[in-house]
């Protein structure tokens, strides 16, 4: 990213934080850390277990979205305090699509878990449940890949039509 890509009102604060990221797992280009995606990896792994262990849906229902700052406040990430502070200085070019992607990801997970619970309680065919798990997992992974790309410098979120096509 060049300086001209960052609005002037964001540039000075961004540069001050970017100069401090050496030796951390925080991107100097975006000031974001991939460690945040662990919050989503965990729930996707649990969802993937549902076809073999339908009662795992109860554990999935306990999952709650966490903001970037909330995640790091509760994590053991070595540079967690710096990640929290730096988030306020992520250039809007990255922050907007990142937050949009996270909102989509949270919706896919929460909606998916609610749908799976209804199907399990309603006695749906296990094969159908397994197909829905695959679709939810595929959509969540695509969104996590998108978030990861933004963390590493992309400025593009997924369109809703792309997400819908993954969910079928």
């Amino acid at each position: 990213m060049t300086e001209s890509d960052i609005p002037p009102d964001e540039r000075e604060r961004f540069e001050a934080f970017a100069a401090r990221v050496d030796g951390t797992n925080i991107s100097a280009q975006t000031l974001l850390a991939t460690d945040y995606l662990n919050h989503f990896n965990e729930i996707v792994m649990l969802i993937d277990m549902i076809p073999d262990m339908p009662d795992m849906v109860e554990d999935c229902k306990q999952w709650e979205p966490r903001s970037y700052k909330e995640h790091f406040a509760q994590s053991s990430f070595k540079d967690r305090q710096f990640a929290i502070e730096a988030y306020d200085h992520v250039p809007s070019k990255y922050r907007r699509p990142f937050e949009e992607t996270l909102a989509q990801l949270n919706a896919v997970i929460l909606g998916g878990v609610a749908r799976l619970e209804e199907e399990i309680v309603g006695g749906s065919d296990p094969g159908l449940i397994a197909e829905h798990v695959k679709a939810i997992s595929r959509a969540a992974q695509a969104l996590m890949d998108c978030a990861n790309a933004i963390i590493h410098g992309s400025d593009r979120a997924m369109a809703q039509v792309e997400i819908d096509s993954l969910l079928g």
Side-chain angles (χ1 to χ4, degrees), residues 98-114:
F98 185 67
E99 289 179 350
E100 181 181 322
T101 300
L102 300 179
Q104 293 168 327
L105 183 53
N106 286 326
V108 164
I109 292 169
L110 293 172
V113 168

Side-chain angles (χ1 to χ4, degrees), residues 17 23 39 44 48 81 83 101 110 112 117 119 130 136-137:
F17 274 84
H39 177 58
V44 171
D48 285 342
Q81 192 56 45
T101 300
L110 293 172
E117 179 187 30
E119 292 174 349
I136 294 162
S137 184

Side-chain angles (χ1 to χ4, degrees), residues 41-136:
N41 285 323
E42 293 168 4
I43 185 61
V44 171
M45 285 190 302
L46 291 176
I47 290 170
D48 285 342
M49 299 169 129
I50 290 176
D52 295 323
M53 297 184 293
D55 59 330
M56 188 60 70
V57 76
E58 293 302 319
D59 289 347
C60 293
K61 286 173 31 185
Q62 301 304 311
W63 183 87
E64 293 181 354
R66 270 193 221 141
S67 72
Y68 187 87
K69 288 182 176 184
E70 289 170 338
H71 169 78
F72 284 107
Q74 297 174 18
S75 82
S76 59
F77 183 64
K78 178 181 75 140
D79 300 304
R80 70 177 178 255
Q81 192 56 45
F82 182 65
I84 292 168
E85 292 171 25
Y87 193 70
D88 290 331
H89 307 291
V90 171
S92 56
K93 172 181 181 171
Y94 301 116
R95 189 172 178 153
R96 275 195 292 274
F98 185 67
E99 289 179 350
E100 181 181 322
T101 300
L102 300 179
Q104 293 168 327
L105 183 53
N106 286 326
V108 164
I109 292 169
L110 293 172
V113 168
R115 178 180 180 182
L116 291 170
E117 179 187 30
E118 287 175 13
E119 292 174 349
I120 291 166
V121 170
S124 290
D125 175 62
L128 181 64
I129 293 170
E131 285 302 313
H132 290 161
V133 164
K134 285 180 193 173
I136 294 162

